[in-house]
Amino acid sequence: MREVTLRIRHRGGPESEVSARHPEVTMRSVSSMTGRGSERKRIVELRGPTAEIESFIEEFRVADAVVEAEPLSPISGTHAYVAVVVDGDGWEGIRERLSEMGIHYRTGTTIAGGIERWTAYIEADDDLSAVIRELERGGNDVELARNVELASIERPPGLPASGILDGLTSRQREVLATAIAIGYYDHGGGVGVEDVADELGLGSTTVWEHLSRAESTVMNALFDRFEAQVGPENRGDGEPAEGE
């Protein structure tokens, strides 16, 4: 199996199109798509200058296929969490194309300057050129940024789990634990925020905010441990060329 990183300019995709007009804002998915019917929901994080984030949201919420884009808390500083609802009826995003081809991909896609960054896992008998051609349908631009044998990727030792949850409030722990228990994070499980809210007897917006804050705290704690164990000089921030 090979791990490939693709930079994709998704023509017509609301995230990519709006991002191209707001290059100072970086968009990152912090939850997987969930929902029933044609509507798909997720939480995204926006980073950048406050005014640019506000402008990004205003433009994004009126884009085609976007049903709703609402901040989970007042926007201040350089980042914001936004609850996004997209109408998936007739909409074919990059994740849908990868799923249709049976290609595994890493969640947590980032978008900056109109470029979506996807990491996918290609089996030995998969035709990478065919995968790229499929993603290029509709005029999309696809650039192969990384292509390495999975077995050759050096992984750091397991990161210590102790202390990762220390920064969570008791309510955030409860909401996160409930979400995990009922399968909210299971890919394709069909469990949405509404289901977590029903389980807890809370409002969906309240659950969304608790989850987004809990996810941010946990991920930042993991990053701190990664930095402490591996060190910035060994993170591999630079992207090697194809075949490296």
Side-chain angles (χ1 to χ4, degrees):
M1 181 173 285
R2 304 185 69 82
E3 181 180 272
V4 301
T5 298
L6 303 169
R7 294 194 185 98
I8 303 174
R9 177 66 168 88
H10 189 188
R11 303 292 176 181
E15 295 95 339
S16 192
E17 294 293 346
V18 176
S19 173
R21 294 188 287 272
H22 296 273
E24 294 184 28
V25 177
T26 297
M27 184 180 198
R28 180 177 68 90
S29 294
V30 296
S31 74
S32 300
M33 281 268 193
T34 60
R36 297 188 177 92
S38 64
E39 291 191 351
R40 296 291 179 265
K41 305 178 181 182
R42 75 180 188 279
I43 299 171
V44 301
E45 179 186 27
L46 299 178
R47 287 191 174 272
T50 302
E52 281 295 314
I53 290 176
E54 292 174 337
S55 179
F56 185 106
I57 294 173
E58 289 176 5
E59 187 172 343
F60 184 70
R61 62 161 56 104
V62 298
D64 290 342
V66 176
V67 178
E68 182 179 316
E70 297 300 329
L72 294 174
S73 59
I75 301 174
S76 62
T78 59
H79 79 283
Y81 292 101
V82 182
V84 174
V85 180
V86 176
D87 184 357
D89 188 20
W91 169 251
E92 188 180 36
I94 301 301
R95 74 181 69 243
E96 284 76 23
R97 295 192 189 184
L98 290 172
S99 295
E100 288 173 0
M101 291 185 283
I103 303 296
H104 296 283
Y105 57 86
R106 185 185 299 171
T107 57
T109 302
T110 60
I111 307 173
I115 304 298
E116 302 184 17
R117 179 188 173 96
W118 289 85
T119 297
Y121 299 93
I122 309 297
E123 299 284 358
D125 56 352
D126 287 330
D127 184 344
L128 179 55
S129 296
V131 171
I132 291 177
R133 286 195 300 271
E134 174 64 16
L135 296 176
E136 287 177 331
R137 277 196 301 108
N140 296 330
D141 301 318
V142 181
E143 176 189 354
L144 178 61
R146 178 179 169 88
N147 181 7
V148 296
E149 289 285 352
L150 196 58
S152 70
I153 300 175
E154 294 184 1
R155 303 293 185 187
L159 299 174
S162 61
I164 288 178
L165 303 181
D166 288 351
L168 302 183
T169 66
S170 58
R171 176 64 86 181
Q172 288 169 358
R173 287 173 183 251
E174 179 186 21
V175 173
L176 183 60
T178 301
I180 293 171
I182 68 174
Y184 177 76
Y185 293 102
D186 293 344
H187 180 63
V191 177
V193 169
E194 297 90 348
D195 300 298
V196 182
D198 289 344
E199 189 76 13
L200 292 164
L202 298 173
S204 296
T205 301
T206 299
V207 169
W208 236 331
E209 183 166 3
H210 283 312
L211 277 178
S212 67
R213 292 180 183 278
E215 290 165 351
S216 178
T217 299
V218 169
M219 293 308 294
N220 285 330
L222 280 171
F223 181 78
D224 290 341
R225 282 157 177 73
F226 180 82
E227 286 279 80
Q229 188 169 57
V230 180
E233 70 279 2
N234 295 319
R235 279 207 322 261
D237 288 336
E239 293 178 0
E242 179 180 354
E244 291 187 358

